[in-house]
Amino acid sequence: MTVLVTGGAGYIGAHVVRLLVRSGRDVVVVDDLSTGTAERVGGAELVRLDVAAPGSAEALARVLRRRGVTDVVHFAARKRVDESVADPLRYYQQNVDGLGAVLRACTAEGARSVVFSSSAAVYGDVAGGLVREDAPTAPVNPYGRTKLVGEWMLRDVAATGALRGTALRYFNVAGAGWPDLGDPAVANLVTRVLDAVGRGERPRVFGTDFATADGSGVRDYVHVMDLARAHVAALDAMAGDAEPYRCLNVGTGTGTSVLQVVAGLSAAMGVPIATEVVGRRAGDPAEVVADPAAIERVLGWRAEETLASTLASAWDAWRHARP
């Protein structure tokens, strides 16, 4: 098995690359290094390429042919909601065209399976409770819509028999499997809190008037190592059965509020954290938590890490990057 990982120099991709390499699999990484770094791929071959650029399908096909790639894990995409709202065409070009190039290369060179990095953003506003894969998909921003279109593309290609596909819908990813692979972006709650505290500021809490136990928004936080293991499990499953396409949530099934995350980070850091409460953000639901029953049933996967270990690992990685 030779696995091509697009976006493998990024936060989540690098964890999957390291797990695959340590399991003895041959790995090649394709990344344009716009957000990732070459040091994260370790000993894997790195091909610098923007998968959404003109001619990328042909360039990817050459890599697949040269390395005898059997399977692909596709991470390469833009993922900031605010950016997608400000520049939707860029997001469709990067996320949809990029996946299209990957699928064209895979079908041309006979790759047998693709794992697609999707998102819980495909669900949009939810009514609360555990969210199953058969819940309505009504994304509320261009980023979420590009992920839903990507799922459709993969499902339709898989239906032709050209390859097998698994779309993994991530919930809130945090933590680090190794200190050198922490999340470098200040774009989610955990890194925003760490960044604010490091600058001597109070992290902002967007609303404490939700219908939740403490009034702050509740989300499902999954450790990046658990997420990486889900990708490996998806690859292994597609090698062993004939199911053409699956779509699976990756989450813990347990909700954690914003204020609970702040308290957990305070415990991990050993310092009190004072917050600034501001108004809700438009479109923020009160609670979004995964129902992980399907992925456990189909792949035998379940989250192993605790919230405390997730937050402690995020703090360790943050300190490692900023000694």
Side-chain angles (χ1 to χ4, degrees):
M1 172 188 285
T2 299
V3 184
L4 171 69
V5 182
T6 71
Y11 168 48
I12 301 171
H15 281 84
V16 173
V17 168
R18 189 167 292 183
L19 277 186
L20 290 171
V21 169
R22 291 191 173 192
S23 72
R25 305 182 209 209
D26 190 26
V27 180
V28 56
V29 173
V30 167
D31 199 301
D32 66 359
L33 301 184
S34 59
T35 58
T37 57
E39 293 77 17
R40 288 178 171 248
V41 307
E45 179 188 357
L46 172 63
V47 177
R48 190 165 183 176
L49 175 68
D50 178 357
V51 298
S56 58
E58 293 76 14
L60 284 165
R62 289 192 292 270
V63 175
L64 266 68
R65 189 181 318 125
R66 174 172 59 83
R67 292 297 304 270
V69 169
T70 53
D71 306 273
V72 174
V73 183
H74 179 58
F75 292 104
R78 307 295 302 181
K79 62 178 184 178
R80 286 190 54 172
V81 169
D82 57 343
E83 279 186 347
S84 78
V85 173
D87 194 353
L89 288 177
R90 182 188 184 201
Y91 266 65
Y92 279 97
Q93 190 265 336
Q94 287 286 311
N95 294 3
V96 176
D97 292 355
L99 175 59
V102 169
L103 293 175
R104 287 196 297 275
C106 287
T107 55
E109 298 301 324
R112 66 187 183 187
S113 70
V114 174
V115 180
F116 173 56
S117 167
S118 189
S119 169
V122 302
Y123 294 117
D125 293 333
V126 299
L130 297 182
V131 181
R132 300 194 326 181
E133 291 83 352
D134 59 359
T137 50
V140 297
N141 53 64
Y143 165 70
R145 285 188 277 273
T146 65
K147 287 299 185 180
L148 186 56
V149 171
E151 291 185 8
W152 295 341
M153 291 171 64
L154 179 58
R155 181 193 63 197
D156 289 345
V157 173
T160 70
L163 49 76
R164 297 170 190 166
T166 299
L168 297 179
R169 291 175 174 171
Y170 312 164
F171 280 65
N172 295 61
V173 185
W178 297 271
D180 61 319
L181 296 186
D183 187 353
V186 182
N188 60 52
L189 175 61
V190 172
T191 52
R192 284 194 293 104
V193 172
L194 293 173
D195 179 65
V197 172
R199 289 186 287 106
E201 299 177 1
R202 292 189 298 167
R204 290 187 297 172
V205 176
F206 294 96
T208 55
D209 56 350
F210 290 101
T212 61
D214 63 18
S216 64
V218 170
R219 299 292 183 267
D220 189 334
Y221 294 89
V222 61
H223 196 296
V224 68
M225 276 298 289
D226 281 329
L227 177 59
R229 295 182 189 111
H231 288 79
V232 177
L235 285 173
D236 290 343
M238 286 189 290
D241 68 33
E243 186 70 27
Y245 175 78
R246 294 190 179 100
C247 178
L248 299 167
N249 288 336
V250 185
T252 68
T254 299
T256 303
S257 75
V258 171
L259 293 177
Q260 286 175 320
V261 169
V262 173
L265 284 171
S266 176
M269 300 170 72
V271 297
I273 299 176
T275 60
E276 177 188 359
V277 177
V278 297
R280 298 187 193 183
R281 294 175 296 191
D284 268 357
E287 183 174 357
V288 184
V289 181
D291 183 339
I295 193 170
E296 182 174 355
R297 182 179 68 253
V298 174
L299 301 185
W301 176 95
R302 68 169 63 185
E304 300 174 15
E305 303 288 344
T306 64
L307 178 68
S309 67
T310 300
L311 299 180
S313 69
W315 170 230
D316 287 343
W318 190 265
R319 288 186 294 173
H320 181 273
R322 299 160 181 82

